[in-house]
Short mmCIF file of all heavy atoms in Angstrom, two decimals:
data_model
loop_
_atom_site.label_atom_id
_atom_site.label_comp_id
_atom_site.label_asym_id
_atom_site.label_seq_id
_atom_site.Cartn_x
_atom_site.Cartn_y
_atom_site.Cartn_z
N THR A 36 -40.33 -31.71 174.19
CA THR A 36 -39.59 -32.63 173.27
C THR A 36 -38.89 -33.73 174.03
O THR A 36 -38.89 -34.91 173.54
CB THR A 36 -38.48 -31.75 172.49
OG1 THR A 36 -37.68 -31.07 173.45
CG2 THR A 36 -39.11 -30.85 171.53
N SER A 37 -38.41 -33.46 175.26
CA SER A 37 -37.83 -34.59 176.07
C SER A 37 -38.86 -35.58 176.45
O SER A 37 -38.59 -36.80 176.46
CB SER A 37 -37.25 -33.94 177.33
OG SER A 37 -36.14 -33.11 177.09
N ASN A 59 -47.02 -22.94 162.86
CA ASN A 59 -46.19 -23.83 162.10
C ASN A 59 -44.74 -23.79 162.59
O ASN A 59 -44.03 -24.76 162.53
CB ASN A 59 -46.33 -23.41 160.61
CG ASN A 59 -47.62 -23.64 160.06
OD1 ASN A 59 -48.11 -24.79 160.07
ND2 ASN A 59 -48.27 -22.59 159.50
N VAL A 73 -33.73 -38.60 168.16
CA VAL A 73 -34.07 -39.96 167.84
C VAL A 73 -33.76 -40.35 166.40
O VAL A 73 -33.84 -41.55 166.12
CB VAL A 73 -35.53 -40.27 168.24
CG1 VAL A 73 -35.76 -40.04 169.75
CG2 VAL A 73 -36.48 -39.50 167.40
N VAL A 82 -47.14 -37.45 164.53
CA VAL A 82 -47.81 -36.22 164.06
C VAL A 82 -47.55 -35.11 165.01
O VAL A 82 -47.91 -35.11 166.19
CB VAL A 82 -49.38 -36.46 163.86
CG1 VAL A 82 -49.94 -35.09 163.49
CG2 VAL A 82 -49.65 -37.53 162.88
N ILE A 170 -76.81 -13.01 157.61
CA ILE A 170 -75.90 -13.38 156.50
C ILE A 170 -75.22 -14.72 156.82
O ILE A 170 -74.90 -15.45 155.83
CB ILE A 170 -74.82 -12.24 156.44
CG1 ILE A 170 -75.43 -11.08 155.68
CG2 ILE A 170 -73.49 -12.74 155.72
CD1 ILE A 170 -74.46 -9.90 155.61
N GLY A 206 -61.36 -44.56 165.89
CA GLY A 206 -60.15 -44.88 165.08
C GLY A 206 -59.03 -43.91 165.39
O GLY A 206 -57.87 -44.33 165.53
N ILE A 229 -62.45 -30.71 170.28
CA ILE A 229 -61.72 -31.64 169.47
C ILE A 229 -60.75 -32.56 170.31
O ILE A 229 -60.73 -33.75 170.21
CB ILE A 229 -60.94 -30.86 168.33
CG1 ILE A 229 -61.86 -30.30 167.27
CG2 ILE A 229 -59.88 -31.84 167.68
CD1 ILE A 229 -61.19 -29.35 166.37
N ARG A 238 -57.39 -41.05 177.95
CA ARG A 238 -57.06 -40.00 178.96
C ARG A 238 -55.55 -39.82 179.11
O ARG A 238 -55.01 -39.36 180.08
CB ARG A 238 -57.70 -40.34 180.30
CG ARG A 238 -59.21 -40.33 180.30
CD ARG A 238 -59.85 -40.64 181.58
NE ARG A 238 -59.77 -39.57 182.58
CZ ARG A 238 -59.00 -39.61 183.69
NH1 ARG A 238 -58.24 -40.63 183.92
NH2 ARG A 238 -59.08 -38.56 184.52
N LEU A 262 -57.53 -23.62 183.57
CA LEU A 262 -57.91 -23.43 185.00
C LEU A 262 -58.81 -24.62 185.48
O LEU A 262 -58.73 -25.07 186.64
CB LEU A 262 -58.60 -22.17 185.25
CG LEU A 262 -57.79 -20.86 185.11
CD1 LEU A 262 -58.64 -19.66 185.17
CD2 LEU A 262 -56.62 -20.81 186.09
N VAL A 274 -47.68 -30.54 187.52
CA VAL A 274 -46.28 -30.17 187.72
C VAL A 274 -46.10 -28.74 187.38
O VAL A 274 -46.52 -28.23 186.30
CB VAL A 274 -45.37 -31.00 186.79
CG1 VAL A 274 -43.84 -30.56 186.93
CG2 VAL A 274 -45.52 -32.50 187.07
N PHE A 348 -32.61 -4.92 171.38
CA PHE A 348 -33.65 -4.02 171.88
C PHE A 348 -35.04 -4.25 171.27
O PHE A 348 -35.14 -4.47 170.04
CB PHE A 348 -33.31 -2.52 171.61
CG PHE A 348 -32.03 -2.04 172.31
CD1 PHE A 348 -30.83 -2.16 171.71
CD2 PHE A 348 -32.09 -1.63 173.67
CE1 PHE A 348 -29.68 -1.72 172.40
CE2 PHE A 348 -30.95 -1.20 174.28
CZ PHE A 348 -29.74 -1.30 173.65
N TYR A 372 -34.71 -0.15 162.36
CA TYR A 372 -35.75 -0.84 163.03
C TYR A 372 -36.52 -1.63 162.08
O TYR A 372 -36.57 -1.51 160.85
CB TYR A 372 -36.65 0.19 163.76
CG TYR A 372 -37.55 0.95 162.81
CD1 TYR A 372 -38.82 0.52 162.60
CD2 TYR A 372 -37.16 2.19 162.24
CE1 TYR A 372 -39.62 1.21 161.71
CE2 TYR A 372 -37.93 2.88 161.34
CZ TYR A 372 -39.27 2.43 161.08
OH TYR A 372 -40.02 3.08 160.27
N VAL A 442 -70.46 -21.61 127.25
CA VAL A 442 -70.77 -20.11 127.11
C VAL A 442 -71.59 -19.85 125.79
O VAL A 442 -72.34 -18.88 125.75
CB VAL A 442 -69.46 -19.32 127.17
CG1 VAL A 442 -68.56 -19.65 126.00
CG2 VAL A 442 -69.68 -17.87 127.22
N GLY A 447 -77.21 -13.34 124.86
CA GLY A 447 -76.72 -12.02 125.20
C GLY A 447 -75.20 -11.78 125.37
O GLY A 447 -74.79 -10.73 125.72
N LYS A 458 -61.32 -19.71 125.44
CA LYS A 458 -59.85 -19.86 125.55
C LYS A 458 -59.47 -19.97 126.99
O LYS A 458 -58.55 -20.71 127.40
CB LYS A 458 -59.16 -18.62 124.86
CG LYS A 458 -59.18 -18.65 123.39
CD LYS A 458 -58.46 -17.34 122.91
CE LYS A 458 -58.45 -17.41 121.29
NZ LYS A 458 -57.80 -16.11 120.78
N ARG A 530 -52.62 -29.38 145.17
CA ARG A 530 -53.52 -29.24 146.30
C ARG A 530 -52.78 -29.15 147.62
O ARG A 530 -53.10 -28.34 148.53
CB ARG A 530 -54.46 -30.40 146.33
CG ARG A 530 -55.47 -30.36 147.50
CD ARG A 530 -56.37 -31.62 147.59
NE ARG A 530 -56.86 -32.06 146.28
CZ ARG A 530 -57.81 -31.44 145.62
NH1 ARG A 530 -58.39 -30.37 146.11
NH2 ARG A 530 -58.20 -31.89 144.42
N VAL A 536 -50.03 -23.22 152.03
CA VAL A 536 -50.15 -21.77 151.98
C VAL A 536 -51.30 -21.28 152.87
O VAL A 536 -51.15 -20.32 153.60
CB VAL A 536 -50.34 -21.32 150.54
CG1 VAL A 536 -50.71 -19.80 150.45
CG2 VAL A 536 -49.13 -21.55 149.64
N GLY A 578 -45.90 3.47 177.10
CA GLY A 578 -47.33 3.80 177.12
C GLY A 578 -48.03 3.19 178.33
O GLY A 578 -49.26 2.83 178.16
#
Side-chain angles (χ1 to χ4, degrees):
T36 53
S37 296
N59 292 303
V73 301
V82 176
I170 284 177
I229 289 169
R238 297 176 79 248
L262 293 172
V274 177
F348 295 93
Y372 72 92
V442 66
K458 285 181 181 178
R530 180 187 313 288
V536 170

